Amino acid sequence: IEMPQSFWMRVAMGLAINEKDKNEKAIEFYNLLSSLKFISSSPTLFNSGTIHPQLSSCYLTTIMDDLHHIFKSYGDNAQLSKWSGGVANDWTNIRAVGSQIKSNRVESQGVIPFLKIANDGALAINRSGRKRGAVASYLETWHFEIEDFLDLRRNTGDERRRTHDMNTANWIPDLFMKRVINDEEWTLFSPSDVLDLHDLYGKKFEERYIEYEQMAKNGKIKMHKVVSALKLWRKMISMLFETGHPWITFKDPCNIRSPQDHVGIVHSSNLCTEITLNTSKDEIAVCNLGSINLGRHIIDGKLDANLIEKTIDTAIRMLDNVIDINFYPTIETKNSNLKHRPIGFGIMGFQDALYKLDINFDSKEAVDFSDKSMEIISYYSILTSSKLAKERGIYETYKGSKWDRGIFPIDTIELLENERGMKIDISREENLNWSLVREHVKKYGMRNSNVMAIAPTATIGNISGAYPCIEPIYKNIYVKANVAGEFTIVNHYLIEDLKKLNLWNDDMLEQLKYYDGNVSMIKGIPEKIKNKYKEAFDIDPLTLIDIAAARGKWIDQSQSLNIFVQGISGKKLHDTYIYAWMKGLKTTYYLRSMAATQIEKSTLDAGKYGFTQKRDIKKNEEKVNEEDKLKISPIVEKEVVEKIEIKPAIKLCSIDDPDCESCQ
């Protein structure tokens, strides 16, 4: 059994093994980790200082339209999963069902059967005995089998064409979104007929795609299908609501804003949609992650920029060390990681910081704080990588990169506008003196091709006692379960504020249990407190997008952004995801919707509270016309009331829960 001090010291010593002054750096790393100001990702914590130091979190692959490479990729997935990695596969290259295979002149069975095999392979592997294997599959929206792809997670239909354990994601070009908005037609192709389309983006994609559409109309491309873009989009949204998949991610912003546009294409994001790195047959992209605990950098009622600078100076060095120490399960991962040296410095405890600053999550002040805090983090992250370049040398493919061309993340918003031909409504105001960083990068270059990415941080958030990444609080009261048992967790910030008002007592705790932590339902709590402690489903999803967009302009990769929506309004979901695209977001993660029922709380006084209450949905959601409602399966609509003797209704993920989606 490893005690906490030994745990942190093992990680610190493992990450300092190649330093010239090993002991000094190990102590520096230990002091940062043990103070919980910065935590490395869970694979780094698992494996640092061991004989197989596989310290990376996620891997991204592109699968070629070749049977040998397809089955090689299954083997790669297994090796990557074995050593704790989450895997994301780009399957868009695979020819569609019915297209001819030239070598033996038979019709292809398409991509779906191969996805089924990938799904079952993930089930066969657990990640270092700590998490179940996890695979995400991406498909571009013009693929001939996109409609079947959308159905993969459904609970009905042919089981041979279902992948219940695989995460799926839509890789959506801007042209499709424009056609959705304008209610225009969209053409589906087999990749074998449009060989270059997968590697194009922006205006070049749009021009070539229209050429292929004309060729199809002229009979030069036999295998194609014309559909309504809006109807296809509606199916995407309804499947997202029904199954949680496929996620909505955007191809063009990921590529147009990529620092590495000179050496390859971003073909997908990763398992948690925060990584945007190039992939190819010869390169499997690798995510090397860690996160700053923003709540622990609020000192005396304000964000301490000097403390952030100090934390980042050490943390970026630790992340860069991962690349050289790392055990690489495949040649392609080593090739990619050593050549480009990408890292993903992220944040957690954003909600903690807002609580400490007394800022409501759904306020303009929260948007401003997101903007200014991420600018500080971006400023020092880029500067620190450049300082490491001065000390250790630039990464191999630096020449020709956006960094080399003097183009920083904030500058790429204009590039995206130019490619789209549309204005992106985001402030470009700078509060720091960026000329110092630009001059340093110009003179010394960058150590890392990519520097920032915001991961879900479910596991390390639990370890550090912080709310996950950039999420609003999910519930003010919930049950945490681990090997030691179940524990009722109440929002300690809420308790402190209620104590100051002499409102914290047994009766208040019982009311919190009864209302599942929703303070808006409890009489006697002041409006100021109710507004401060709104839960995720009480916050307008457009506000979450505004906060993410303000932050996203400073990031060279992306962020794991969950969308929380009450009710079953198709129009609301449509508007939310269209808004995310128009604000320039690169990716979104899970769509979270609220259950129709609550669990009975048999520990409460039935005479006082009654039994098994249903949520008063009408109070909390907009009225939805019948035609606006999402058409979902009877399985989703069915109400199931679970009668078990527990405290509150909601269970969140925990360190020892291998099935937790965020932990993947």
Side-chain angles (χ1 to χ4, degrees):
I1 296 175
E2 201 172 37
M3 297 297 288
Q5 296 94 329
S6 301
F7 166 65
W8 294 124
M9 187 55 79
R10 170 179 58 78
V11 177
M13 291 174 70
L15 293 177
I17 194 70
N18 289 339
E19 295 278 2
K20 292 178 182 177
D21 43 359
K22 292 182 179 61
N23 292 342
E24 181 183 327
K25 286 301 179 185
I27 293 170
E28 180 184 332
F29 297 168
Y30 172 86
N31 287 335
L32 182 62
L33 291 166
S34 62
S35 66
L36 306 178
K37 294 186 183 74
F38 168 85
I39 308 289
S40 299
S41 65
S42 51
T44 304
L45 303 183
F46 293 156
N47 299 321
S48 185
T50 68
I51 58 173
H52 280 100
Q54 196 301 105
L55 312 179
S56 299
S57 299
C58 291
Y59 299 93
L60 290 70
T61 80
T62 285
I63 298 172
M64 308 307 291
D65 189 31
D66 173 79
L67 199 60
H68 292 289
H69 194 258
I70 290 170
F71 277 84
K72 177 188 181 301
S73 297
Y74 293 142
D76 290 344
N77 282 2
Q79 289 299 319
L80 299 172
S81 294
K82 175 183 177 182
W83 299 107
S84 302
V87 184
N89 301 139
D90 154 40
W91 287 92
T92 300
N93 281 322
I94 308 304
R95 69 186 59 218
V97 62
S99 57
Q100 189 180 75
I101 301 171
K102 292 181 180 178
S103 59
N104 58 5
R105 295 186 178 183
V106 299
E107 288 188 352
S108 169
Q109 296 298 305
V111 70
I112 303 300
F114 292 120
L115 292 171
K116 177 67 173 173
I117 298 171
N119 176 85
D120 296 344
L123 285 177
I125 307 290
N126 74 35
R127 288 182 279 167
S128 299
R130 293 175 173 89
K131 299 178 182 179
R132 65 185 178 91
V135 172
S137 295
Y138 284 74
L139 200 71
E140 206 160 333
T141 316
W142 50 262
H143 195 288
F144 193 81
E145 293 183 81
I146 188 67
E147 293 167 300
D148 290 331
F149 181 76
L150 300 180
D151 288 334
L152 283 173
R153 290 291 298 252
R154 297 196 72 173
N155 289 319
T156 57
D158 185 351
E159 280 298 304
R160 292 168 297 181
R161 298 181 69 81
R162 296 290 178 265
T163 58
H164 299 299
D165 305 282
M166 173 188 287
N167 299 289
T168 56
N170 289 299
W171 193 237
I172 305 173
D174 281 354
L175 180 60
F176 176 75
M177 298 305 295
K178 293 176 184 178
R179 300 239 178 132
V180 169
I181 292 170
N182 296 324
D183 192 9
E184 295 173 343
E185 291 181 337
W186 182 250
T187 309
L188 307 179
F189 296 103
S190 171
S192 54
D193 294 327
V194 290
L195 292 173
D196 57 345
L197 214 50
H198 188 36
D199 290 335
L200 299 176
Y201 58 87
K203 291 179 180 177
K204 290 182 179 178
F205 173 91
E206 187 167 332
E207 292 167 0
R208 188 63 168 147
Y209 182 85
I210 292 171
E211 284 181 20
Y212 281 129
E213 283 189 311
Q214 193 59 50
M215 289 170 66
K217 288 177 182 177
N218 295 338
K220 294 181 179 178
I221 298 178
K222 299 292 184 185
M223 190 172 179
H224 69 278
K225 182 179 180 181
V226 178
V227 299
S228 162
L230 184 57
K231 287 182 179 178
L232 180 57
W233 170 252
R234 283 174 177 165
K235 184 174 182 180
M236 288 179 176
I237 296 298
S238 60
M239 284 300 101
L240 185 64
F241 180 86
E242 180 177 332
T243 69
H245 295 85
W247 303 321
I248 303 296
T249 61
F250 302 114
K251 174 185 182 179
D252 287 359
C254 292
N255 277 283
I256 293 165
R257 298 191 62 206
S258 169
Q260 292 291 96
D261 59 342
H262 64 308
V263 288
I265 305 296
V266 182
H267 287 122
S268 74
S269 187
N270 68 317
L271 186 62
C272 302
T273 75
E274 83 276 14
I275 300 301
T276 55
L277 299 175
N278 300 341
T279 56
S280 67
K281 182 179 180 180
D282 301 317
E283 291 188 5
I284 294 176
V286 184
C287 329
N288 312 294
L289 305 176
S291 299
I292 188 172
N293 187 347
L294 208 56
R296 288 186 177 260
H297 291 78
I298 304 297
I299 309 297
D300 297 327
K302 65 178 183 179
L303 186 64
D304 191 327
N306 292 328
L307 182 58
I308 287 179
E309 179 183 8
K310 185 178 178 182
T311 295
I312 289 175
D313 189 60
T314 301
I316 297 291
R317 189 180 194 94
M318 292 165 68
L319 290 173
D320 187 62
N321 286 353
V322 164
I323 297 166
D324 297 308
I325 298 166
N326 209 29
F327 166 77
Y328 293 100
T330 69
I331 294 172
E332 292 85 357
T333 54
K334 186 174 184 179
N335 178 33
S336 173
N337 221 26
L338 293 179
K339 187 184 293 184
H340 311 301
R341 306 190 66 86
I343 58 174
F345 182 79
I347 65 174
M348 58 185 171
F350 182 75
Q351 175 71 90
D352 297 81
L354 294 183
Y355 282 151
K356 289 184 176 183
L357 294 170
D358 205 25
I359 295 175
N360 298 342
F361 212 107
D362 61 344
S363 66
K364 184 181 182 300
E365 289 77 15
V367 177
D368 291 341
F369 177 72
S370 176
D371 191 342
K372 291 173 182 176
S373 60
M374 198 66 224
E375 181 182 4
I376 294 169
I377 291 168
S378 180
Y379 184 95
Y380 290 115
S381 297
I382 295 169
L383 180 59
T384 302
S385 181
S386 186
K387 287 179 178 178
L388 281 174
K390 179 182 178 182
E391 176 188 341
R392 297 173 169 178
I394 58 174
Y395 68 92
E396 186 179 324
T397 56
Y398 171 76
K399 294 298 182 183
S401 68
K402 279 191 172 71
W403 304 114
D404 184 39
R405 283 140 51 200
I407 302 171
F408 279 34
I410 187 66
D411 306 321
T412 60
I413 297 295
E414 184 178 352
L415 298 180
L416 181 57
E417 284 180 332
N418 292 338
E419 287 288 326
R420 279 187 182 174
M422 296 172 59
K423 179 73 176 173
I424 296 174
D425 184 21
I426 301 176
S427 167
R428 319 295 159 84
E429 182 181 351
E430 297 178 356
N431 293 290
L432 302 176
N433 183 5
W434 280 89
S435 62
L436 297 177
V437 182
R438 291 177 185 274
E439 284 300 316
H440 199 283
V441 171
K442 184 177 181 180
K443 186 173 182 180
Y444 298 107
M446 291 285 286
R447 179 64 174 168
N448 313 100
S449 64
N450 299 73
V451 185
M452 292 160 283
I454 300 177
T457 73
T459 304
I460 62 174
N462 270 329
I463 290 172
S464 59
Y467 289 106
C469 63
I470 51 178
E471 302 265 288
I473 185 170
Y474 190 64
K475 302 298 297 179
N476 283 310
I477 185 170
Y478 62 95
V479 172
K480 178 183 286 188
N482 60 28
V483 291
E486 293 184 346
F487 306 90
T488 302
I489 306 297
V490 185
N491 182 347
H492 67 90
Y493 296 104
L494 173 61
I495 294 174
E496 289 169 9
D497 278 352
L498 290 174
K499 281 181 177 178
K500 290 175 186 177
L501 298 169
N502 294 317
L503 291 175
W504 182 247
N505 50 45
D506 290 341
D507 183 65
M508 178 61 71
L509 177 57
E510 288 197 344
Q511 289 191 70
L512 276 173
K513 289 180 181 179
Y514 182 79
Y515 291 113
D516 284 338
N518 192 333
V519 294
S520 68
M521 310 291 285
I522 302 175
K523 294 179 181 179
I525 293 183
E527 284 301 313
K528 182 180 179 182
I529 299 297
K530 289 182 178 181
N531 290 331
K532 182 176 179 180
Y533 293 102
K534 284 183 179 179
E535 298 172 336
F537 288 105
D538 297 319
I539 298 171
D540 189 330
L542 301 188
T543 300
L544 297 178
I545 291 168
D546 283 334
I547 292 171
R551 179 190 302 114
K553 66 175 179 283
W554 302 109
I555 304 174
D556 54 4
Q557 294 197 68
S558 191
Q559 45 193 320
S560 293
L561 176 66
N562 287 323
I563 303 293
F564 299 87
V565 177
Q566 282 198 44
I568 54 173
S569 168
K571 183 178 185 304
K572 188 172 185 178
L573 289 179
H574 168 85
D575 292 345
T576 298
Y577 282 98
I578 291 291
Y579 188 68
W581 176 74
M582 294 184 74
K583 295 292 280 190
L585 293 192
K586 297 177 181 177
T587 60
T588 63
Y589 198 22
Y590 283 96
L591 171 64
R592 305 293 191 187
S593 55
M594 186 173 281
T597 60
Q598 293 171 294
I599 296 172
E600 181 176 302
K601 301 169 184 68
S602 54
T603 57
L604 297 180
D605 182 354
K608 184 175 181 181
Y609 294 103
F611 287 108
T612 311
Q613 4 39 75
K614 291 184 181 180
R615 291 188 178 87
D616 190 356
I617 302 270
K618 289 181 182 176
K619 274 188 178 180
N620 297 312
E621 71 170 18
E622 61 187 15
K623 290 185 178 179
V624 182
N625 295 327
E626 197 64 36
E627 59 267 24
D628 271 343
K629 288 185 179 179
L630 282 169
K631 297 192 186 308
I632 55 180
S633 72
I635 294 172
V636 178
E637 291 175 326
K638 183 180 178 183
E639 290 186 354
V640 179
V641 179
E642 194 176 344
K643 294 185 178 181
I644 53 176
E645 188 170 343
I646 66 163
K647 300 87 185 173
I650 301 298
K651 287 190 179 184
L652 301 187
C653 65
S654 60
I655 299 168
D656 298 301
D657 180 6
D659 294 322
C660 169
E661 293 166 332
S662 295
C663 287
Q664 295 174 10

